[in-house]
Amino acid sequence: PTLASMLYIRILGASEIRFGGVRVGAEQPLTFALLLMLTVSGSAGLQRRELAATLWPDVPDRDRNHRLRSLLHRLRHLGAPLACVGATVSLHSAAIDFREFITVPGSIDLVRTRLASIGAILPGLAASSPALADRLDDVRDLAVGTLTRWLTAAMRLARAAGDWALVEQLARAGQEVDP
């Protein structure tokens, strides 16, 4: 897959999804949430029924299924890398920013470079239902855990190097990630 066809989700410091010249932000919460849930689920994808029930829990089955079909059609038309096989929906060629922090930093230079991309998680994104709020909290928890491990390792490097200003910046970043 080319970079142009890849779907990229930013949840650190901004809530933004980009693919093929299209931008989806927090101002489109259901579209954002659908693409986020599919990205986090990986290649296994999610069942249509589960997606529809999470996005529109108070809507009758028939209507929520129609809404999901319409949203998927609109996203496919925009160029989202969706795969729909039977009752399962998934994304191919999708990445999310916090996963760049899975591997602990090996150098102070890498810490300085990556530090600028750390910010509040999913800012401005509001959940329309308790079920969706639970899903978004799961993503936040995953991101907080990943970033906390990375920041802890980065602080060890900065302390070992005697770079106290960097240690302070990393501590502030940790407070932003997990207030």
Side-chain angles (χ1 to χ4, degrees):
T2 65
L3 193 57
S5 69
M6 183 172 216
L7 184 137
Y8 184 77
I9 299 182
R10 184 170 169 213
I11 68 167
L12 302 176
S15 296
E16 178 177 85
I17 300 173
R18 293 195 177 271
F19 59 92
V22 174
R23 181 196 170 277
V24 175
E27 66 279 358
Q28 297 168 286
L30 294 177
T31 304
F32 188 97
L34 171 72
L35 293 170
L36 178 63
M37 288 188 302
L38 289 173
T39 299
V40 171
S41 74
S43 60
L46 294 169
Q47 296 295 305
R48 286 175 180 264
R49 178 168 288 169
E50 180 184 357
L51 285 168
T54 301
L55 296 172
W56 301 283
D58 298 327
V59 174
D61 281 349
R62 181 182 167 135
D63 292 339
R64 71 173 118 179
N65 291 337
H66 174 73
R67 289 179 184 187
L68 181 61
R69 276 192 308 276
S70 296
L71 181 54
L72 291 172
H73 175 76
R74 194 167 59 248
L75 286 168
R76 224 179 275 114
H77 183 72
L78 290 172
L82 288 169
C84 300
V85 179
T88 304
V89 181
S90 62
L91 284 170
H92 53 278
S93 306
I96 190 164
D97 60 357
F98 80 86
R99 288 186 177 152
E100 296 169 12
F101 294 89
I102 288 174
T103 304
V104 295
S107 72
I108 286 288
D109 291 334
L110 180 62
V111 170
R112 286 189 184 104
T113 301
R114 290 240 172 109
L115 182 60
S117 63
I118 297 176
I121 298 171
L122 290 170
L125 187 64
S128 57
S129 72
L132 184 54
D134 287 346
R135 287 298 194 112
L136 295 177
D137 284 344
D138 290 347
V139 173
R140 278 189 188 94
D141 290 346
L142 188 58
V144 166
T146 300
L147 288 163
T148 300
R149 280 188 297 281
W150 190 90
L151 286 165
T152 301
M155 280 190 219
R156 277 195 295 271
L157 280 174
R159 278 196 305 263
D163 191 336
W164 303 112
L166 182 58
V167 170
E168 188 174 329
Q169 288 176 318
L170 291 163
R172 273 195 233 110
Q175 287 177 326
E176 229 181 311
V177 164
D178 193 12

